[in-house]
């Protein structure tokens, strides 16, 4: 009887050990799967970061280029304004032309505020018949 008990205990021990090994093996497989998923997520994140850095570099270069163009335009504008001022001071004909009042139609254009969007532009339009959409026939 003692042999049977020892055999049963040994069998239970081997079974429990097998169960522990099986659970550990499945846990290891799941952990390896999570590791692969995490590695893929890291690669995807690194790719996104690389793409965003490249886009930021392009934007920075474009901004620098636009700033250079803006500075060049500002310098040209200053030059031309100075030239116009000099011409007005030196030439009586240009000075009298510059001092003359603007025609009424042009003066009215200068009185209107700038349209800051489609809604502001639409508010200033007369409320008559709207133009037909392109390609549609006019309604009678």
């Amino acid at each position: 009887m003692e042999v049977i008990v020892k055999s049963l205990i040994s069998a239970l021990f081997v079974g429990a050990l097998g169960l522990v090994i099986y659970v550990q093996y499945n846990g290891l497989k799941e952990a390896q799967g999570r590791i692969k998923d995490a590695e893929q997520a890291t690669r995807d994140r690194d790719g996104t970061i690389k793409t965003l850095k490249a886009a930021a570099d392009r934007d920075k270069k474009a901004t620098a280029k636009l700033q250079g163009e803006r500075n060049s335009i500002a310098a040209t504008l200053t030059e031309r304004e100075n030239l116009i001022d000099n011409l007005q001071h030196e030439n009586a004909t240009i000075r009298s032309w510059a001092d003359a009042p603007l025609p009424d139609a042009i003066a009215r254009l200068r009185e209107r505020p700038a349209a800051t969007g489609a809604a502001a532009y639409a508010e200033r339009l007369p409320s008559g018949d709207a133009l037909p959409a392109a390609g549609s026939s006019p309604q009678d």
Side-chain angles (χ1 to χ4, degrees):
M1 176 94 161
E2 204 172 293
V3 173
I4 294 175
V5 171
K6 286 183 182 181
S7 296
L8 282 175
I9 291 175
S10 298
L12 283 174
F13 179 73
V14 169
L17 185 61
L19 182 63
V20 168
I21 291 172
Y22 177 75
V23 169
Q24 291 294 324
Y25 178 77
N26 283 340
L28 179 63
K29 286 293 186 186
E30 289 176 13
Q32 287 173 340
R34 287 192 304 267
I35 288 171
K36 286 182 182 178
D37 292 343
E39 287 172 346
Q40 183 62 42
T42 301
R43 282 192 296 272
D44 291 346
R45 185 197 68 220
D46 290 347
T48 302
I49 289 170
K50 187 176 182 179
T51 302
L52 290 173
K53 281 184 178 180
D57 288 343
R58 283 192 310 271
D59 289 348
K60 190 175 182 180
K61 288 177 184 175
T63 301
K65 181 181 176 186
L66 287 173
Q67 185 63 37
E69 290 175 3
R70 181 183 176 280
N71 292 341
S72 173
I73 291 169
T76 303
L77 175 63
T78 302
E79 266 180 41
R80 290 184 182 172
E81 286 174 342
N82 291 336
L83 176 64
I84 290 170
D85 286 343
N86 290 338
L87 288 173
Q88 285 179 359
H89 291 297
E90 294 171 0
N91 191 323
T93 305
I94 293 175
R95 186 174 37 253
S96 66
W97 175 82
D99 291 339
L102 292 173
D104 289 338
I106 294 174
R108 282 194 311 268
L109 287 174
R110 294 188 66 140
E111 290 173 3
R112 289 188 180 180
T116 57
Y121 179 75
E123 287 177 9
R124 290 192 351 214
L125 293 177
S127 61
D129 293 331
L131 292 174
S136 66
S137 61
Q139 298 176 351
D140 291 324

